[in-house]
Amino acid sequence: MTGYKNCIMSKFSGPEKDEICLDLIKEDPLSIRIQGKPYTVVLRTPGDEIAHVAGFCLGEGIIDSSDDFENLGYCGEDVNVVTVTLKPERLNRIPDILKRRGFISQTSCGICGKELVDDLKQNITPILEGPKVDAKMATHCLNTLSDHQTHRQSCHAAAIFTGDGKLLSVGEDVGRHNALDKSIGKLVQDGKLDMGSVLVLTSRISYELVQKAARAKIPVIFAVSGPTALAVELAESLGMALVCQTRNKDLFVFCGEHRLAMV
């Protein structure tokens, strides 16, 4: 990830002024084109653009798997434009989704850029029951997430693990939604989408993050901060577990306790 830019700043200590140079995390626009037409612009930290768009497409319901892509790549050498070409059979199944174009996704926003909350529920079904996830193992994944980050001081991170704690992918970005898109997109690219069982986040669990995890069929989310009420409502309806760790290392399980082995 090439996400830093030098910035000269003034530092004041009382009346005394010094000039210092700091590396600030970059935030650039990424244009996503579908079938040759502009679909959306997202503001993101440069890096992992192809994975980012793959994860974005899954979360939006544009694809269900990598098999739905005819082609996915940069527009020439411009890393700020990614073009998506879908197979004809997929295009015929999602005409309404492709009409929703032209919005800008800010790194700090959740569902604020959408017209309706119900619009986010497209193509999401409850996650089937599976083996319980060891809560102690998932907590360890959360507490060691920084070990897998390159820019832990500047970016949010989203990491996906198997049910037995094996790391599958990590995404980093100034935007928490972008970080998750990148992490999920890597699984889409690698054909490992069905292996993800635990998602760990450096951010609060928002409604849209639950939506993206649900589209990827990830049943358990652990985060450093609690969820919104709307996120719990959605997760509960889909049979997902939402967990956060308090400062004194207690676990708050907001829903989906049946998914966890509390040892």
Side-chain angles (χ1 to χ4, degrees):
M1 181 163 64
T2 57
Y4 285 108
K5 181 179 181 179
N6 293 124
C7 182
I8 303 298
M9 302 180 62
S10 296
K11 177 186 176 183
F12 288 88
S13 298
E16 297 183 4
K17 173 183 173 180
D18 291 318
E19 284 194 345
I20 60 174
C21 180
L22 293 178
D23 287 332
L24 300 183
I25 198 73
K26 289 177 66 178
E27 187 176 28
D28 291 334
L30 172 65
S31 175
I32 300 174
R33 297 176 177 269
I34 299 179
Q35 306 302 116
K37 298 179 180 180
Y39 183 81
T40 189
V41 176
V42 298
L43 296 174
R44 97 299 184 193
T45 302
D48 292 330
E49 285 82 13
I50 303 303
H52 185 170
V53 174
F56 175 89
C57 287
L58 183 75
E60 288 291 309
I62 295 168
I63 66 163
D64 283 334
S65 74
S66 59
D67 293 336
D68 293 326
F69 289 122
E70 184 79 39
N71 186 59
L72 173 64
Y74 294 111
C75 184
E77 296 183 359
D78 189 349
V79 298
N80 290 318
V81 180
V82 173
T83 61
V84 176
T85 305
L86 301 172
K87 292 181 178 178
E89 55 269 30
R90 184 61 184 175
L91 278 174
N92 293 333
R93 296 179 61 184
I94 59 167
D96 292 337
I97 294 175
L98 292 184
K99 290 178 183 177
R100 297 197 312 266
R101 63 168 65 98
F103 62 89
I104 296 179
S105 176
Q106 308 289 344
T107 57
S108 60
C109 80
I111 62 171
C112 56
K114 307 289 187 172
E115 292 182 354
L116 296 170
V117 170
D118 287 344
D119 189 45
L120 288 172
K121 295 182 179 178
Q122 36 79 27
N123 297 326
I124 305 178
T125 56
I127 299 177
L128 298 177
E129 293 299 322
K132 290 180 180 290
V133 168
D134 185 337
K136 184 179 294 186
M137 178 276 298
T139 303
H140 175 74
C141 293
L142 177 64
N143 291 335
T144 58
L145 175 55
S146 62
D147 295 343
H148 308 293
Q149 291 182 248
T150 304
H151 305 292
R152 65 179 66 92
Q153 300 299 325
S154 306
C155 287
H156 281 300
I160 301 172
F161 295 81
T162 63
D164 58 0
K166 179 182 177 182
L167 178 66
L168 294 173
S169 67
V170 179
E172 289 185 276
D173 200 279
V174 291
R176 56 186 180 175
H177 309 95
N178 294 341
L180 182 52
D181 279 339
K182 290 178 180 181
S183 188
I184 290 175
K186 291 175 183 179
L187 298 192
V188 173
Q189 290 182 299
D190 295 340
K192 297 180 179 179
L193 197 57
D194 60 342
M195 296 175 63
S197 292
V198 181
L199 167 65
V200 299
L201 301 168
T202 59
S203 65
R204 177 176 297 279
I205 307 171
S206 69
Y207 183 100
E208 191 172 3
L209 296 185
V210 172
Q211 178 216 11
K212 291 176 183 293
R215 283 285 299 155
K217 301 298 182 185
I218 301 172
V220 176
I221 302 178
F222 271 61
V224 298
S225 187
T228 65
L230 201 58
V232 174
E233 180 183 326
L234 177 62
E236 196 166 25
S237 71
L238 298 173
M240 299 170 66
L242 300 188
V243 185
C244 79
Q245 188 177 42
T246 67
R247 291 182 178 179
N248 61 359
K249 304 302 182 182
D250 291 333
L251 293 181
F252 284 178
V253 180
F254 294 90
C255 60
E257 187 175 341
H258 65 284
R259 293 276 187 188
L260 306 170
M262 306 297 293
V263 180

